[in-house]
Amino acid sequence: MLRFAKLLLLLALLSGPAFAGDTRVAVATNFTHAARALTTAFERETGHRVRFSFGATGQLYAQISQGAPFDAFLAADQVRPQRAEVEGLAVRGSRFTYAMGALVLYGGNKRPVQEGTLATTAPDRLAIANPATAPYGAAALETLAAMGLLETYQERLVRGTNVAQAYQFIATGNAELGFVALAQVFDQAPTDYWLVPATLHRPIAQDAVLLTRGETNDAARAFLTFLQGPEARAIISRMGYHLPTAKGGASDG
């Protein structure tokens, strides 16, 4: 009986937090607040620990291709995760869409912002994320083009390395207005920003993928599984994102 009890204790220890692991995840900057909320819930539930490295999607992908020690990649687009699979940097079949991003025009609480603001006020400086590396920056350029304002603002654009820096340009007064992620301002007054219609730019579908370095990392696999579950989806929806549907579109959650 004593021997059996010791066996049960050993099994409990092997399955418990004492054997929890660590994982390092590369995350697009727009998802910073949501990622931190998710990791709190994930670590509480599993005992695993997650360390995030935030940056523009293109910059993170460059780091991954150069051997950066990441186990998983949460991008702000679908292109880089797909490329990671093709180039053997990610585990084939592990990719999925975890969020659908939304773009807003933001004025830093200085004045109401609405659809016609760019056409009527013509600010001297308009902040965007670098369109070459940040999908939200690319969406901003597409929006300006769709509104017929790209030529007007081409020389007035202040480019941040990522969407967080674009937000800082506005917050510090280095730009009067700017395009940022809804997730950065969703808890502010609705008059502080204009939600850009999704018809003005390509969908901002954000994909996650398990990198080859993390293929045998239980914590990395557990985190990506958690990211697709109901608790994580509720957090993602609450933090200013739409949820992907089974058909690859978006729902309001």
Side-chain angles (χ1 to χ4, degrees), residues 3-198:
R3 185 174 298 175
F4 180 68
K6 287 182 177 180
L7 178 60
L8 289 178
L9 178 59
L10 178 60
L11 290 174
L13 288 172
L14 288 173
S15 62
F19 285 84
D22 293 85
T23 183
R24 187 174 176 191
V25 181
V27 182
T29 305
N30 74 87
F31 204 64
T32 299
H33 298 309
R36 287 174 175 159
L38 286 165
T39 193
T40 299
F42 172 73
E43 291 181 349
R44 182 179 62 244
E45 179 177 309
T46 66
H48 292 305
R49 293 174 295 276
V50 184
R51 291 180 294 159
F52 295 118
S53 291
F54 298 103
T57 291
Q59 290 179 323
L60 292 172
Y61 184 80
Q63 293 173 24
I64 291 167
S65 65
Q66 293 165 13
F70 300 128
D71 301 310
F73 181 28
L74 272 58
D77 67 5
Q78 295 182 307
V79 174
R80 272 82 167 196
Q82 287 175 341
R83 188 184 304 168
E85 284 186 314
V86 170
E87 296 181 356
L89 300 171
V91 178
R92 286 186 177 273
S94 66
R95 180 171 53 87
F96 62 93
T97 301
Y98 65 92
M100 301 294 295
L103 185 72
V104 299
L105 178 67
Y106 177 59
N109 306 312
K110 301 178 185 71
R111 59 183 173 183
V113 179
Q114 53 193 357
E115 181 178 358
T117 297
L118 284 179
T120 58
T121 61
D124 291 333
R125 288 168 296 183
L126 180 68
I128 66 169
N130 183 352
T133 57
Y136 281 82
L141 286 188
E142 292 170 6
T143 297
L144 288 171
M147 296 175 71
L149 296 173
L150 184 56
E151 186 175 346
T152 300
Y153 283 99
Q154 190 70 60
E155 301 301 320
R156 305 182 192 184
L157 295 177
V158 181
R159 293 174 171 83
T161 55
N162 52 53
V163 76
Q165 190 171 56
Y167 179 92
Q168 284 302 314
F169 285 153
I170 304 162
T172 58
N174 289 304
E176 295 97 314
L177 294 167
F179 286 101
V180 297
L182 173 61
Q184 295 170 285
V185 302
F186 75 96
D187 57 348
Q188 299 186 32
T191 54
D192 289 340
Y193 59 86
W194 171 55
L195 179 61
V196 176

Side-chain angles (χ1 to χ4, degrees), residues 208-238:
V209 70
L210 179 67
L211 299 174
T212 52
R213 183 182 182 277
E215 187 169 8
T216 60
N217 186 315
D218 291 340
R221 286 184 170 277
F223 180 69
L224 293 182
T225 298
F226 175 80
L227 195 59
Q228 299 174 73
E231 183 177 5
R233 284 172 63 86
I235 292 171
I236 292 169
S237 177
R238 193 165 65 243

Side-chain angles (χ1 to χ4, degrees), residues 78 96-100 203-207 242-251:
Q78 295 182 307
F96 62 93
T97 301
Y98 65 92
M100 301 294 295
I204 308 175
Q206 305 193 189
D207 276 12
H242 298 302
L243 296 174
T245 65
K247 296 181 179 180
S251 72

